[in-house]
Amino acid sequence: MSRYYQPEIETASREEIVRIQNEKIVRQVRHVYDNVAYYRNLMDKKGVKPEDIKSIDDIKKLPFLSKDDLREAYPYGLLGTDLKNCVRIQSTSGTTGKRVVAFYTQHDIDLWEECCARAIVAAGGSNEDVCQVCYGYGLFTGGPGLNGGSHKVGCLTLPMSSGNTERQIQFMMDLGSTILCCTPSYAAYIGESLAERGYKPEDNKLKAGIFGAEPWTEEMRRSIEKSLGIKAYDIYGLTETSGPGVAFECEEQRGMHINEDHFYAEIIDPETGEVLPEGSKGELVFTSLDKEAFPLLRYRTRDICILSREKCSCGRTHVRMSKPLGRSDDMLIIRGVNVFPSQIETVLLNEGYTPNYQIIVDRVNNSDTLDINVELSPEQFSDKVGDNQRREIQLGEAMRTMLGIKPVIHLVPPKTVVRSEGKAVRVIDKRKLHD
Ligand code: ADP
Ligand code: ZN
């Protein structure tokens, strides 16, 4: 069984990929310059003309776009074609509170769904699979993207959307779902709910999960794989570039292949904007090479990650991105120390705790405080209560080693941390409320 959806392009030689990118970028820059006044102004200000872009290497000459630009140009300012050619909008889930509206022509939808189809096939999907999509449907890109990809692959598609876990489980068991698509936090919740109903991992027919849209750790992956009895694949994307499927994992599970025939990736220093060499950690920047309606050039994602061109055993030749460490705007600065929620998750799962936690940051007497509510599993809970103080101290120490600062740990009873059906809200930063 082929594990590629479009083998010619997914395993194309490096020269072939560069040839495609060279051809597309010249056309795309011309398209944007002619149709998007907002970006034309940025290029004019920088003194760059479309004829200066002769190959993909020349991309460095182009100005960046940021989320602020998107806000300024909202809603129609970055549109690359007449509205009459557009057939759909999608919008961000608003994790960082800033609305982005993206537009699609039918061509754009097709290429997006093809990218999602590549991800599903890489996870072992074929027309024999039953694909349960419980990402949210509607404005959020998760549901529509995977739904379209699943159709292209020919899976029997269950357009569940998120929520109503009881019904998710019933359909999963009755219809024998083999592939599950949702956020990792919802996958963990479904796993937990199955166990509560007395199901063992081998009782379901699932073989793979395609989980993304939020940061998750390797520890979280292992925990989900165990609870559902599956192999869990990561998928990445953002509304600005189309949605999920910009990059996806293969069976190697070591980084996500970026669909380089559609999206050109760069890593930059977020402070200086300088392009960094392969292997450096920095901010991911994407150029969509052939989207018509919302053709962003050099869009700064704020996601921090590393690119690798190391050969992959799956045979795909497209560059791989590491799991984003978190977004630069997710990063907490607590008493001057940079803290990512993903670091906290790693420690918790390594120390044998559940992935149900909440981080509370506050400022008391001009000093930042960091508290973490950590839910105990029912087994941990029924242990001697007297042990909790020792556990809190131990976990606090493990956190200090990882983070460089020591949080106050509160172990809380099972089922007291609210579960997420979409993107999890891990952090409550009360400092913002005071300003
Ligand atoms: P919002 O900004 O409202 O969350 P999107 O739904 O478009 O809007 O989310 C895109 C963002 O979600 C990405 O920029 C990234 O930060 C995060 N994301 C998406 N997929 C992943 C993933 N697999 N791992 C970590 N973060 C991810
Ligand atoms: Zn691979």
Side-chain angles (χ1 to χ4, degrees):
M1 185 186 65
S2 163
R3 272 257 171 144
Y4 311 116
Y5 180 66
Q6 290 163 313
E8 336 67 63
I9 187 70
E10 292 179 65
T11 63
S13 68
R14 183 85 207 109
E15 297 70 46
E16 176 62 5
I17 292 170
V18 173
R19 191 191 62 73
I20 293 171
Q21 291 179 332
N22 285 342
E23 204 179 285
K24 287 189 177 178
I25 190 68
V26 172
R27 217 181 321 140
Q28 186 72 327
V29 171
R30 171 52 71 187
H31 168 65
V32 171
Y33 193 84
D34 290 348
N35 293 289
V36 185
Y38 188 95
Y39 199 79
R40 181 164 60 239
N41 284 338
L42 293 181
M43 281 177 67
D44 287 346
K45 259 195 231 149
K46 223 178 169 224
V48 196
K49 292 269 164 269
E51 10 342 329
D52 296 332
I53 310 301
K54 299 190 181 70
S55 73
I56 198 72
D57 283 339
D58 291 327
I59 205 166
K60 293 188 197 70
K61 299 176 183 164
L62 293 170
F64 291 115
L65 273 174
S66 68
K67 208 148 191 163
D68 287 341
D69 289 309
L70 265 57
R71 226 180 329 159
E72 205 177 313
Y74 174 90
Y76 293 128
L78 287 161
L79 201 59
T81 183
D82 274 358
L83 265 187
K84 69 174 193 297
N85 300 323
C86 297
V87 298
R88 173 101 64 85
I89 70 151
Q90 304 281 172
S91 181
T92 52
S93 43
T95 309
T96 53
K98 293 151 204 149
R99 179 182 298 283
V100 170
V101 174
F103 300 83
Y104 304 72
T105 62
Q106 188 56 49
H107 160 272
D108 297 339
I109 300 255
D110 283 336
L111 85 80
W112 174 28
E113 292 180 351
E114 264 171 30
C115 289
C116 290
R118 290 180 193 175
I120 293 171
V121 174
S126 73
N127 58 6
E128 301 193 1
D129 281 289
V130 179
C131 183
Q132 180 162 349
V133 183
C134 27
Y135 285 109
Y137 279 63
L139 286 172
F140 177 52
T141 54
L146 268 308
N147 190 85
S150 176
H151 274 234
K152 287 217 187 284
V153 176
C155 303
L156 173 63
T157 309
L158 273 49
M160 303 294 297
S161 196
S162 61
N164 201 337
T165 308
E166 198 61 53
R167 190 179 60 191
Q168 301 280 2
I169 289 179
Q170 194 187 340
F171 273 88
M172 176 187 291
M173 301 314 270
D174 292 352
L175 297 174
S177 306
T178 53
I179 299 178
L180 181 67
C181 307
C182 59
T183 58
S185 49
Y186 195 39
Y189 180 33
I190 292 177
E192 183 184 11
S193 306
L194 282 168
E196 272 169 9
R197 286 162 183 72
Y199 290 114
K200 293 193 209 51
E202 58 275 20
D203 293 339
N204 69 63
K205 289 222 168 61
L206 291 174
K207 62 178 185 189
I210 303 177
F211 306 134
E214 65 182 2
W216 53 312
T217 57
E218 280 305 321
E219 291 75 14
M220 180 85 154
R221 187 210 302 269
R222 283 196 288 277
S223 149
I224 295 172
E225 288 186 329
K226 210 166 125 206
S227 74
L228 292 172
I230 58 166
K231 189 155 171 163
Y233 297 82
D234 202 352
I235 185 165
Y236 170 92
L238 57 166
T239 313
E240 294 88 319
T241 55
S242 60
V246 169
F248 61 92
E249 257 180 355
C250 61
E251 70 262 23
E252 264 297 285
Q253 294 180 310
R254 281 186 54 223
M256 295 176 267
H257 289 285
I258 295 174
N259 285 308
E260 283 190 279
D261 52 328
H262 299 302
F263 305 103
Y264 182 76
E266 300 168 272
I267 291 285
I268 62 163
D269 178 331
E271 303 295 325
T272 64
E274 185 200 347
V275 179
L276 300 176
E278 192 202 317
S280 316
K281 185 161 89 184
E283 180 178 349
L284 188 55
V285 173
F286 275 117
T287 294
S288 60
L289 293 168
D290 47 9
K291 274 172 55 194
E292 297 171 338
F294 205 57
L296 302 189
L297 303 180
R298 300 199 90 194
Y299 178 65
R300 296 183 58 159
T301 64
R302 307 191 194 191
D303 291 324
I304 305 293
C305 79
I306 300 170
L307 297 182
S308 163
R309 293 211 166 273
E310 207 183 300
K311 197 163 181 269
C312 187
S313 66
C314 77
R316 286 182 186 75
T317 46
H318 295 202
V319 68
R320 275 178 291 172
M321 60 179 274
S322 66
K323 269 185 180 303
L325 185 60
R327 341 175 155 200
S328 52
D329 45 11
D330 257 359
M331 187 181 76
L332 297 162
I333 303 180
I334 301 169
R335 280 175 253 142
V337 179
N338 298 348
V339 173
F340 284 98
S342 59
Q343 296 173 299
I344 292 174
E345 184 173 298
T346 297
V347 176
L348 286 178
L349 290 154
N350 275 338
E351 299 287 319
Y353 289 91
T354 69
N356 302 311
Y357 62 96
Q358 198 141 44
I359 301 164
I360 301 131
V361 187
D362 205 349
R363 182 164 292 150
V364 179
N365 298 331
N366 293 322
S367 174
D368 296 335
T369 59
L370 171 62
D371 288 67
I372 308 174
N373 291 337
V374 181
E375 197 178 287
L376 292 168
S377 66
E379 302 78 60
Q380 286 167 330
F381 189 63
S382 54
D383 270 8
K384 283 203 309 292
V385 177
D387 270 337
N388 276 353
Q389 203 179 356
R390 182 184 51 82
R391 283 193 182 129
E392 284 174 351
I393 293 170
Q394 213 171 32
L395 190 53
E397 277 308 319
M399 288 286 174
R400 183 168 51 195
T401 311
M402 171 67 107
L403 309 176
I405 55 167
K406 193 169 164 186
V408 180
I409 306 285
H410 308 273
L411 296 176
V412 299
K415 295 266 152 203
T416 46
V417 172
V418 61
R419 302 295 189 268
S420 151
E421 295 169 345
K423 296 197 189 209
V425 180
R426 303 288 196 194
V427 183
I428 301 172
D429 195 341
K430 295 187 177 165
R431 295 177 298 186
K432 290 184 189 138
L433 305 177
H434 302 321
D435 294 341

